[in-house]
Amino acid sequence: MDEFIFWLALLLLAAPLASAQKVEEFNYDEAKVGTYTLPDPLTSKDGKAVKTKSAWTSRRAELMELFAANVYGHTPKQPIKLRFQTTAVNESALNGLAVRKMVSIFFVDYPQIPSIDVALYLPKNKKLVPIFLGLNFSGNHSATTETDVPITTRWVYNAIGDVSVNNKATEKSRGMQVSSWQIETVLKRGYGLATVYYGDIEPDHPQGWQGHIRSVLDSPSETVPSASNNWGAIGAWAWGLSRIMDYLQTEPDIDPKRVVLIGHSRLGKAALWAGAQDDRFAAVISNESGEGGAALSRRWYGETVERINTSFPHWFNAQFKTYNKRVADLPIDQHELLALIAPRPLYVASAEEDRWSDPKGEFLGAAHTEPVYKLFGKTGLGTDTFPAVNQPIGQTVRYHIRTGKHDVTAYDWEQYLKFADELVGK
Ligand code: GTR
């Protein structure tokens, strides 16, 4: 995608919020990170050591509740009636490489809630394929240059330049994220790919919940009142990923046991929370998910809990904001979110120039899942040593830090495809 335009737009959006605060310092000096004590994923709240898989089942439920209560909010559990409608099929998409289906997911009991529109690419003449699923930032049309993919009509960020005007995407944004999706490469390797514009589920601004799913589904047990209900936008995006999974399970040419979830940045946070809650996802990839994603909250480096809650007040629940100035009091840290993916394969990736996401904190998040993978007889990362750039490491849990900036690149996809080949199966 044109990262520059996107970032400028975000900067403009976040600037007034940030300047309303007292000037906050952001640390990029490893020597100043300080010391911290991480909660142990294998010690339950009552202090008992978790030594067996069955003890982990209870501890896992405890952790899930702690993340819901303190970070993302509770995801409503009530079943929701969905209707899947195929709106277009191209039997010869991507110059004959793929079948492309456009499918809309409607909410039968809530006709006022907009549909979630899936762009699904499947390799031609293949049965029961594994598939990658990921939300995109700018509309399905931004992931491809194909002119028969409609430009999203939903709310989008106003960007610098004319890729969007008055919060509507323009034709100029077609294909602007092609390099982040690598659809042809993925298809040629025998995988399908499904992508959805995240704004279909909830537009990314503080009032975005209005008219979307958070305005109609209630949160069951949160006590903190808030106009937008208690789960945040990340919770809504994660919920949406599970609804897309509901649909993917009905597609006869997709192997529902081999759906790999991928997410970048804020959508990496959503992918991790979705993967933690929904074990139908066979594996999860967090690309530079940073604060509130794979990076340890207790490390003072790059983005902070206070900053993320100030710039993006709608992402997390109200309780998370109470930790702005006391991260050490959080009853969890993000390595425990990653551990909720175990024993499934997990990939955490960073970029050298993306210091805002705290690459080392992302690596440590992944490294500290090790005892949980061990409980399942698996090796996770298998090392505590931070690797050199462009040197992927690990086994069931993998990690790399590549050269370059905050983005998803061909290099990243190459590692994810290898990971999927080895751990999910072609
Ligand atoms: C930033 C935010 C990060 C990350 C990023 C993105 O502004 O501070 O946590 O989510 O946006 O989504 O690209």
Side-chain angles (χ1 to χ4, degrees):
M1 82 190 273
D2 195 324
E3 284 283 329
F4 178 68
I5 289 171
F6 185 70
W7 279 103
L8 266 180
L10 283 191
L11 212 70
L12 289 178
L13 187 94
L17 290 162
S19 60
Q21 261 198 319
K22 290 264 166 303
V23 181
E24 196 188 350
E25 242 186 70
F26 298 104
N27 179 45
Y28 290 115
D29 181 353
E30 197 54 43
K32 289 192 185 148
V33 166
T35 55
Y36 53 85
T37 308
L38 289 178
D40 178 3
L42 294 187
T43 302
S44 63
K45 273 202 316 201
D46 60 8
K48 284 210 187 89
V50 173
K51 292 188 176 134
T52 61
K53 281 191 247 176
S54 75
W56 170 249
T57 306
S58 332
R59 172 62 175 153
R60 192 179 186 282
E62 194 175 276
L63 283 170
M64 198 71 87
E65 172 57 26
L66 287 171
F67 276 103
N70 294 286
V71 184
Y72 304 105
H74 290 94
T75 307
K77 292 283 180 286
Q78 67 247 51
I80 185 159
K81 251 187 249 146
L82 306 175
R83 182 170 64 82
F84 310 129
Q85 187 180 323
T86 303
T87 56
V89 180
N90 183 335
E91 296 284 350
S92 198
L94 301 169
N95 301 317
L97 189 65
V99 175
R100 189 190 60 237
K101 283 177 83 166
M102 308 299 282
V103 177
S104 293
I105 303 174
F106 291 98
F107 305 104
V108 177
D109 297 325
Y110 306 105
Q112 74 276 28
I113 302 300
S115 60
I116 294 177
D117 298 340
V118 186
L120 171 66
Y121 290 86
L122 292 173
K124 264 192 125 154
N125 306 320
K126 283 220 162 109
K127 297 275 165 240
L128 270 187
V129 292
I131 180 166
F132 288 88
L133 163 64
L135 299 176
N136 66 68
F137 281 89
S138 310
N140 296 341
H141 67 279
S142 68
T144 178
T145 52
E146 299 162 295
T147 50
D148 58 338
V149 173
I151 303 279
T152 184
T153 56
R154 307 284 167 80
W155 183 97
V156 296
Y157 272 114
N158 270 338
I160 309 294
D162 45 7
V163 292
S164 64
V165 173
N166 297 330
N167 299 112
K168 292 284 171 209
T170 70
E171 186 61 41
K172 291 266 168 60
S173 58
R174 184 181 299 288
M176 81 179 180
Q177 287 190 338
V178 160
S179 68
S180 295
W181 287 97
Q182 303 284 326
I183 304 181
E184 275 95 342
T185 309
V186 172
L187 270 279
K188 281 183 192 150
R189 292 280 287 261
Y191 294 85
L193 185 124
T195 189
V196 163
Y197 172 48
Y198 80 135
D200 285 7
I201 307 164
E202 177 169 324
D204 192 0
H205 59 81
Q207 289 76 41
W209 62 276
Q210 292 168 2
H212 290 79
I213 203 64
R214 282 201 288 149
S215 66
V216 295
L217 294 190
D218 285 322
S219 183
S221 60
E222 202 105 350
T223 50
V224 186
S226 108
S228 55
N229 287 330
N230 302 305
W231 43 324
I234 290 176
W237 297 324
W239 177 92
L241 283 164
S242 287
R243 303 295 70 79
I244 301 164
M245 183 65 176
D246 294 342
Y247 154 64
L248 294 177
Q249 286 188 307
T250 69
E251 270 296 334
D253 289 337
I254 293 174
D255 183 350
K257 295 210 156 35
R258 291 186 296 160
V259 178
V260 179
L261 193 51
I262 178 167
H264 171 55
S265 207
R266 69 197 63 189
L267 300 178
K269 307 179 212 292
L272 288 170
W273 182 225
Q277 295 177 92
D278 190 339
D279 64 10
R280 292 174 299 171
F281 294 113
V284 183
I285 300 168
S286 148
N287 194 87
E288 300 155 27
S289 59
E291 191 72 35
L296 296 176
S297 302
R298 280 171 174 74
R299 264 176 60 88
W300 184 47
Y301 191 102
E303 190 169 25
T304 60
V305 168
E306 180 172 18
R307 167 59 187 247
I308 205 167
N309 276 327
T310 309
S311 311
F312 304 101
H314 54 296
W315 282 4
F316 301 91
N317 75 350
Q319 182 63 21
F320 194 45
K321 295 172 186 64
T322 70
Y323 296 100
N324 281 355
K325 296 199 189 299
R326 50 173 196 119
V327 278
D329 292 344
L330 275 165
I332 41 71
D333 209 314
Q334 296 305 112
H335 61 305
E336 293 172 308
L337 175 71
L338 301 179
L340 292 172
I341 311 288
R344 291 165 289 158
L346 167 70
Y347 206 121
V348 173
S350 310
E352 194 181 21
E353 290 170 37
D354 179 25
R355 297 185 309 159
W356 186 240
S357 298
D358 185 12
K360 184 96 182 276
E362 295 179 315
F363 164 77
L364 289 171
H368 285 295
T369 64
E370 198 72 39
V372 181
Y373 279 86
K374 281 243 163 66
L375 206 59
F376 288 90
K378 296 198 182 251
T379 302
L381 259 191
T383 175
D384 287 336
T385 310
F386 191 51
V389 288
N390 304 332
Q391 302 277 330
I393 52 167
Q395 297 193 28
T396 311
V397 178
R398 299 201 178 178
Y399 176 84
H400 72 248
I401 172 165
R402 61 157 172 76
T403 43
K405 62 187 175 67
H406 188 64
D407 199 359
V408 192
T409 66
Y411 176 88
D412 296 321
W413 272 107
E414 194 43 50
Q415 313 320 313
Y416 302 152
L417 286 162
K418 205 167 155 234
F419 162 76
D421 285 356
E422 289 171 16
L423 298 176
V424 182
K426 279 199 203 201

